[in-house]
Amino acid sequence: KQEVTQIPAALSVPEGENLVLNCSFTDSAIYNLQWFRQDPGKGLTSLLLIQSSQREQTSGRLNASLDKSSGRSTLYIAASQPGDSATYLCAVGHSNYQLIWGAGTKLIIKP
Amino acid sequence: EAGVTQSPTHLIKTRGQQATLRCSPISGHTSVYWYQQALGLGLQFLLWYDEGEERNRGNFPPRFSGRQFPNYSSELNVNALELEDSALYLCASSLAGNNEQFFGPGTRLTVL
């Protein structure tokens, strides 16, 4: 049974810092991995999707990496801004199209 | 292009009643997924519909059911509501054969 863990559960950093959010999973037989952000009381915004054959994806200040053999993914945020404050969720996708979710990392960027 | 839409935004029901939540996928998407996000429990997979058929179901009781219409929109029905059904219900859609999922804003269900 796939289990997805996100560490840390919460993170508070000053504006401008680079930061890394971690996601680990127990079953390496994944189809893909997605990173999302969720603002309080809102739906989810897809940030990056990494297929199982890929090592990383980049979008603007965001870079996500995937290491299937070690069961890890990281989301790197460069030059953080207060608008980056949100909860970040990773979800592991399987061939049955089911997503297994981590509990999220709540990120606060202090001005 | 319009994203995934959900209605209503908020829904307040009393215990024992039935709730119906609606979702319209992105144009061209044939798969619709439903998730429950209860406070403190994280996101839990509920149902997956594709081409009008239920393809997969999460670990929820049968009083959670739904359907997908010929235009690919979907309904989630929750019967005999219980207090613990209070949650944000999220709908997502994807293209056929591609599980990159795009989410709607959610319906906040409160059971009193």
Side-chain angles (χ1 to χ4, degrees), chain A residues 2 27-33 51-52 92-100, chain B residues 31 33 48 55-56 94 96-101:
Chain A
Q2 179 73 273
D27 183 352
S28 62
I30 68 171
Y31 192 70
N32 58 28
L33 186 145
Q51 300 292 352
S52 61
V92 172
H94 290 268
S95 57
N96 64 357
Y97 300 97
Q98 184 170 339
L99 294 180
I100 308 298
Chain B
S31 282
Y33 311 80
W48 168 35
R55 302 296 186 182
N56 199 4
S94 73
N98 180 340
N99 71 347
E100 181 176 12
Q101 298 180 19

Side-chain angles (χ1 to χ4, degrees), chain A residues 38 103, chain B residues 35-46 60 64 83-90 107-109:
Chain A
Q38 186 174 30
Chain B
Y35 295 88
Q36 182 195 66
Q37 189 176 34
L39 196 61
L41 289 181
L43 272 149
Q44 303 290 325
F45 168 73
L46 265 166
F60 280 83
F64 287 84
L83 297 178
E84 53 265 33
D85 297 333
S86 294
L88 180 67
Y89 288 82
L90 292 165
T107 293
R108 173 74 61 184
L109 173 64

Side-chain angles (χ1 to χ4, degrees), chain B residues 24-100:
Chain B
S24 292
I26 291 171
S27 178
H29 287 192
T30 61
S31 282
V32 170
Y33 311 80
W34 287 96
Y35 295 88
Q36 182 195 66
Q37 189 176 34
L39 196 61
L41 289 181
L43 272 149
Q44 303 290 325
F45 168 73
L46 265 166
L47 290 160
W48 168 35
Y49 291 95
D50 182 65
E51 296 286 358
E53 300 284 333
E54 182 180 303
R55 302 296 186 182
N56 199 4
R57 181 182 182 86
N59 189 24
F60 280 83
R63 58 191 186 82
F64 287 84
S65 66
R67 55 180 171 167
Q68 187 177 33
F69 300 98
N71 66 354
Y72 304 112
S73 67
S74 177
E75 275 183 1
L76 173 68
N77 295 293
V78 188
N79 293 320
L81 285 166
E82 301 179 1
L83 297 178
E84 53 265 33
D85 297 333
S86 294
L88 180 67
Y89 288 82
L90 292 165
C91 170
S93 73
S94 73
L95 290 167
N98 180 340
N99 71 347
E100 181 176 12

